[in-house]
């Protein structure tokens, strides 16, 4: 193991010390602090294609991809040029633009379930607004979410789990009043029986089910056969809405997201990450009759000073237009399959039990011998072993998400050469665990 990259370098360490003086925990989003894996975070100074460079001038192969947006790789020349050109025209007007119309059309052409769409500035805002709209539209308060699914940090969606079939949500987080989450019901992912029991009991009171139709925030977890179909069935039967949170999966698993892969039509869809092309954009959209409940034509209020920001929309639109080329997704899928195969081989020859879930260009290597189908099975992972693996990979120049319960992302810049380097690193990293 090359000692030089074993932990954060001198400059990153100094910056982290300073940051902790001025910023809670030294970071502007908690997972960045590396607390699940130990050691201080790398401070990043630049990124290009599949690699990022830290403040100490060390370069790493990047599988975080800004948590998903960088599907074309970092600093893609066409995207950067478009942003530069847009910046010269002014960075924000607080008034409508032609760009927003183009952007709405582009998204609608990829996701036919979206008849109208509204832009916001983050995934959190998108899901929060979709929930308000669903409640306003149905006149019902209760919502259903699944344990292990993340939908941003708005109050109502921070409720996680209780055990049993449907536990009335208890706040996971101080500062979230119990009253705020008492209408949030949680169910285990992939549990069709629990879903049926809940809807039989109180389906007529439920405004919406919201879920990541392929989960990415407990690591990658796929819906089991019939699960999404059953969600569509019970919501339709009870007059509840089905909301797909495709903030990760939208434009990542093909242009049409999970809804195209599984041929399920949600009532509302939330987007973020890729659609901003690396700038802050979120969106929610869906059935016209529902979307028309939004102000100014309907009674449900929702607004944003920087919503539809021309710089952000330009970045997103440039990326989405490049992604019209469906061969990109085929390539991403085959590159990911190579990486998964190499990782499985490396783990096997080192005798380390792992269970990899993967689809399209996302993957999670769970350190467990169990099949991971929900939060409970994800939790069987040996997180200490994961942390050791993470540090060994970092030492070999590979930057992965600093938590067992995240997905890794490939970009079109992850070439065969990059994958081969990763495979060699993984082989060494697994050997340190044996
Ligand atoms: C990242 C994410 C969000 C929140 O998006 P932010 O832009 O971080 O607010 C919501 N839902 C899912 C599925 C996500 O992965």
């Amino acid at each position: 193991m090359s000692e030089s990259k074993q932990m954060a370098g001198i400059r990153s360490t100094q910056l982290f010390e300073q940051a902790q003086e001025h910023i809670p925990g030294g970071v502007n989003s908690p997972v960045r602090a590396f607390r699940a894996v130990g050691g201080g975070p790398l401070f990043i100074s630049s990124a290009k294609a599949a690699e990022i460079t830290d403040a100490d001038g060390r370069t790493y192969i990047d599988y975080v991809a800004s948590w998903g947006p960088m599907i074309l790789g970092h600093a893609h020349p066409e995207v950067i040029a478009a942003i530069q050109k847009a910046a010269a025209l002014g960075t924000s007007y607080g008034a409508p633009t032609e760009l927003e119309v183009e952007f709405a059309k582009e998204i609608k052409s990829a996701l036919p379930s979206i008849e109208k769409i509204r832009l916001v500035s983050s995934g959190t805002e998108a899901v929060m607004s979709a929930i308000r709209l669903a409640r306003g539209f149905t006149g019902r308060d209760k919502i259903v979410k699944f344990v292990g699914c993340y939908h941003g940090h708005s109050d109502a969606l921070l409720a996680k789990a209780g055990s049993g079939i449907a536990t009335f949500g208890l706040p996971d987080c101080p500062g979230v009043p119990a009253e705020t989450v008492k209408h949030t019901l949680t169910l285990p992912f992939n549990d069709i029986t629990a879903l049926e029991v809940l809807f039989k009991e109180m389906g007529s009171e439920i405004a919406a089910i919201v879920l990541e139709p392929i989960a990415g925030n407990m690591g990658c977890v796929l819906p089991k056969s019939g699960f999404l179909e059953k969600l569509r069935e019970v919501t339709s039967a009870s007059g509840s809405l089905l909301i797909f949170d495709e903030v990760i999966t939208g434009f990542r698993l093909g242009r049409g997201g999970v809804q195209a892969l599984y041929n399920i039509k949600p009532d509302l869809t939330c987007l973020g990450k890729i659609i901003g092309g690396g700038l802050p954009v979120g969106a929610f959209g869906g059935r016209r009759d529902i979307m028309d409940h939004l102000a100014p034509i309907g009674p449900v209020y929702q607004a944003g000073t920087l919503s539809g920001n021309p710089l952000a929309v330009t970045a997103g639109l440039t990326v989405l237009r490049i992604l019209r080329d469906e061969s990109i997704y085929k390539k991403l899928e085959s590159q990911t399959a190579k990486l998964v195969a190499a990782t499985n081989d490396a783990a096997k020859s080192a005798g380390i039990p792992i269970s990899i879930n993967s689809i399209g260009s996302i993957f999670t290597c769970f350190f467990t011998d169990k099949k991971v189908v929900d939060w409970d099975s994800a939790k069987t992972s040996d997180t200490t072993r994961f942390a050791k693996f993470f540090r060994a990979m970092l030492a070999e120049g590979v930057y992965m998400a600093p938590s067992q319960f995240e997905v890794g992302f490939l970009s079109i810049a992850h070439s065969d050469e990059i994958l081969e380097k990763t495979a060699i690193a993984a082989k060494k990293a697994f050997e340190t665990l044996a």
Side-chain angles (χ1 to χ4, degrees):
M1 206 187 296
S2 55
E3 293 297 315
S4 63
K5 278 186 182 169
Q6 198 154 12
M7 51 186 97
I10 292 169
R11 188 66 191 138
S12 280
T13 305
Q14 284 171 346
L15 286 171
F16 191 44
E17 271 165 28
Q18 283 182 39
Q20 286 171 289
E21 282 294 308
H22 306 293
I23 300 170
V27 291
N28 283 311
S29 198
V31 70
R32 296 181 195 169
F34 274 33
R35 293 183 82 101
V37 291
L42 308 184
F43 277 61
I44 305 304
S45 47
S46 69
K48 179 73 196 160
E51 295 180 323
I52 52 169
T53 300
D54 72 6
D56 291 277
R58 303 158 166 182
T59 294
Y60 298 81
I61 298 172
D62 177 29
Y63 288 99
V64 177
S66 186
W67 303 94
M70 312 318 299
I71 192 167
L72 302 181
H74 293 285
H76 188 281
E78 242 176 276
V79 180
I80 300 303
I83 295 172
Q84 283 169 337
K85 204 167 148 210
L89 302 175
T91 53
S92 183
Y93 319 121
T97 62
E98 185 174 347
L99 277 171
E100 292 161 86
V101 182
E102 291 303 307
F103 196 56
K105 286 190 205 162
E106 186 70 26
I107 290 177
K108 283 181 56 175
S109 75
L111 294 145
S113 72
I114 298 183
E115 294 169 351
K116 284 194 174 179
I117 184 160
R118 179 158 285 174
L119 299 185
V120 292
S121 297
S122 68
T124 295
E125 255 186 288
V127 191
M128 178 185 83
S129 308
I131 295 291
R132 181 183 304 143
L133 177 58
R135 286 171 161 164
F137 179 79
T138 58
R140 304 173 180 178
D141 288 337
K142 290 187 170 53
I143 57 168
V144 175
K145 81 173 280 292
F146 292 93
V147 180
C149 284
Y150 177 69
H151 304 292
H153 66 92
S154 69
D155 283 1
L157 294 166
L158 277 182
K160 194 166 61 184
S163 50
I165 290 176
T167 315
F168 282 89
L170 287 177
D172 279 331
C173 172
V176 177
E179 290 74 35
T180 314
V181 287
K182 80 168 187 219
H183 298 300
T184 307
L185 313 172
T186 57
L187 291 175
F189 196 77
N190 272 332
D191 189 336
I192 291 177
T193 309
L195 177 75
E196 284 177 327
V197 169
L198 176 67
F199 269 77
K200 205 165 167 202
E201 207 173 293
M202 52 174 77
S204 64
E205 298 167 55
I206 292 169
I209 294 180
V210 59
L211 84 158
E212 298 178 76
I214 287 177
N217 285 287
M218 47 182 145
C220 176
V221 177
L222 302 178
K224 72 179 183 195
S225 166
F227 181 60
L228 298 179
E229 287 79 0
K230 182 55 78 176
L231 292 173
R232 184 63 282 181
E233 187 188 311
V234 297
T235 47
S236 295
S238 63
S240 316
L241 303 185
L242 180 60
I243 306 175
F244 274 10
D245 179 350
E246 298 224 41
V247 169
I248 286 182
T249 52
F251 291 92
R252 174 152 294 272
L253 303 181
R255 253 178 101 67
V258 179
Q259 49 198 275
L261 280 184
Y262 287 80
N263 195 24
I264 305 279
K265 196 172 177 189
D267 300 297
L268 293 173
T269 299
C270 302
L271 298 167
K273 299 197 166 107
I274 286 176
I275 66 160
L279 270 70
V281 180
F284 63 105
R287 269 166 50 190
R288 178 183 300 268
D289 59 326
I290 301 172
M291 292 302 288
D292 281 347
H293 267 61
L294 284 175
I297 47 175
V300 178
Y301 192 70
Q302 186 281 325
T305 302
L306 290 174
S307 295
N309 171 270
L311 222 54
V313 170
T314 296
L317 191 55
T318 307
V319 171
L320 299 193
R321 283 180 174 156
I322 294 172
L323 291 174
R324 284 177 187 176
D325 176 0
E326 299 269 354
S327 72
I328 288 176
Y329 291 106
K330 292 214 168 65
K331 180 82 183 165
L332 281 167
E333 199 174 322
S334 68
Q335 294 299 86
T336 307
K338 284 182 207 169
L339 180 67
V340 167
T343 306
N344 270 323
D345 285 350
K348 202 168 177 195
S349 60
I352 305 295
I354 58 165
S355 178
I356 300 186
N357 284 351
S358 174
I359 184 166
S361 54
I362 62 176
F363 64 93
T364 301
C365 173
F366 292 100
F367 283 81
T368 177
D369 54 5
K370 304 264 181 321
K371 191 170 159 47
V372 175
V373 295
D374 57 14
W375 179 237
D376 278 348
S377 44
K379 289 284 268 185
T380 65
S381 302
D382 182 341
T383 53
T384 307
R385 194 169 241 188
F386 166 80
K388 204 171 166 203
F389 180 75
F390 170 89
R391 292 194 299 269
M393 288 296 271
L394 199 65
E396 296 297 333
V398 179
Y399 185 81
M400 322 236 335
S403 160
Q404 170 69 94
F405 306 109
E406 301 285 356
V407 294
F409 296 97
L410 268 75
S411 77
I412 58 169
H414 286 77
S415 62
D416 284 345
E417 191 196 337
I418 293 275
L419 296 183
E420 278 152 26
K421 281 190 195 165
T422 308
I424 293 167
K427 198 167 181 326
K428 288 190 189 164
F430 280 119
E431 277 160 10
T432 68
L433 307 179

